Amino acid sequence: MITYKTYIFDLDGTLLDTLGDLAASVNFAMRTHGMPEHSIDDVRRFVGNGVRKLMERAVPGGETNPDFEVAFATFRQYYMEHSLDTTKPYDGILEMLAELKRRGCRLAVVSNKMMAATQELCRHFFLDTIEVAIGEHEAEGIRKKPAPDTVFAALRQLGVGKEGAVYVGDSDVDIQTARNSGLPCISVLWGFRDRDFLLQHGAETFASTPQDIKVFP
């Protein structure tokens, strides 16, 4: 039986409930540029592939809209200033991370969120537990999830290999990321996607609460 010693976590929908601040930032950009606003459920469906893809889905016509780039820039600036307005860890997350850390596990976050926002949120909420936080990488040749590049970067920064490592996330992108990285995947059920959706996209192992993650082998 494999004992997991390294946990690579997704951020949005897995460790943090960021949906309110993301939706507020999207709708600020929409209002600013005279575009229709979106519901929380709309934004829930839009997230998962990075903020540019989020705004491609939110802006009418996506990147073909002549105001796309300025709306995207407005979103980025507003979100960096308001990413902590309502965002918070899901119930039980802090206790789960503290227990894994107490056991000597290595902990990292890999997200498709902007690098600066990923690192700021992890410093704010998880300074004592998350050792490495990697967001959407702007370096040439570093592909975002579901490519394995940022997962491999996290493992390198931790100084560990894939053996004994597991990926934890809440979406189809996370399932594919784990598969592309050669890691087992734990799909969480408190995030942005439900069990049926995750099953349809190949999920096999589920955690209903953060407490469940502590009891996996």
Side-chain angles (χ1 to χ4, degrees):
M1 179 180 293
I2 296 173
T3 298
Y4 298 138
K5 296 296 292 182
T6 303
Y7 289 77
I8 309 294
F9 291 95
D10 173 54
L11 187 60
D12 296 45
T14 301
L15 298 181
L16 294 178
D17 183 358
T18 57
L19 191 58
D21 289 334
L22 287 168
S25 301
V26 167
N27 285 329
F28 177 81
M30 298 295 100
R31 289 193 304 274
T32 299
H33 299 286
M35 300 175 186
E37 296 185 36
H38 294 282
S39 69
I40 285 283
D41 284 340
D42 287 341
V43 177
R44 185 191 305 274
R45 291 192 297 271
F46 296 163
V47 298
N49 298 91
V51 291
R52 188 175 184 89
K53 182 61 70 175
L54 164 62
M55 288 301 288
E56 285 178 24
R57 293 164 175 163
V59 171
E63 287 186 306
T64 65
N65 189 308
D67 291 326
F68 173 79
E69 293 297 342
V70 67
F72 181 42
T74 298
F75 164 85
R76 286 174 64 101
Q77 179 177 350
Y78 187 89
Y79 185 69
M80 286 304 300
E81 295 170 355
H82 295 272
S83 63
L84 290 169
D85 286 1
T86 64
T87 288
K88 61 181 181 179
Y90 290 100
D91 290 345
I93 289 294
L94 296 178
E95 294 82 359
M96 177 268 292
L97 293 176
E99 173 61 19
L100 294 178
K101 188 73 171 180
R102 187 192 66 77
R103 295 179 187 177
C105 297
R106 309 299 302 278
L107 308 178
V109 160
V110 168
S111 174
N112 275 344
K113 183 186 289 295
M114 296 175 289
M115 179 74 83
T118 298
Q119 294 184 337
E120 178 185 3
L121 289 168
C122 286
R123 282 194 299 267
H124 183 82
F125 291 110
F126 311 124
L127 183 62
D128 295 332
T129 51
I130 297 297
E131 301 172 65
V132 171
I134 296 178
E136 187 172 358
H137 212 293
E138 296 180 356
E140 185 176 354
I142 304 296
R143 300 167 297 171
K144 67 181 181 181
K145 301 185 302 183
D149 302 30
T150 48
V151 172
F152 293 161
L155 293 173
R156 286 195 300 272
Q157 289 187 36
L158 288 172
V160 301
K162 292 194 295 183
E163 184 177 357
V166 63
Y167 190 93
V168 184
D170 74 305
S171 74
D172 54 320
V173 174
D174 295 316
I175 296 166
Q176 189 62 49
T177 299
R179 185 176 297 128
N180 291 342
S181 303
L183 299 181
C185 183
I186 299 171
S187 295
V188 307
L189 297 177
W190 56 82
F192 298 163
R193 303 289 186 262
D194 62 23
R195 179 188 287 268
D196 288 343
F197 179 93
L198 294 169
L199 282 170
Q200 291 169 14
H201 288 85
E204 297 177 347
T205 303
F206 295 95
S208 296
T209 70
Q211 180 70 22
D212 293 339
I213 293 176
K214 296 190 294 185
V215 302
F216 281 108

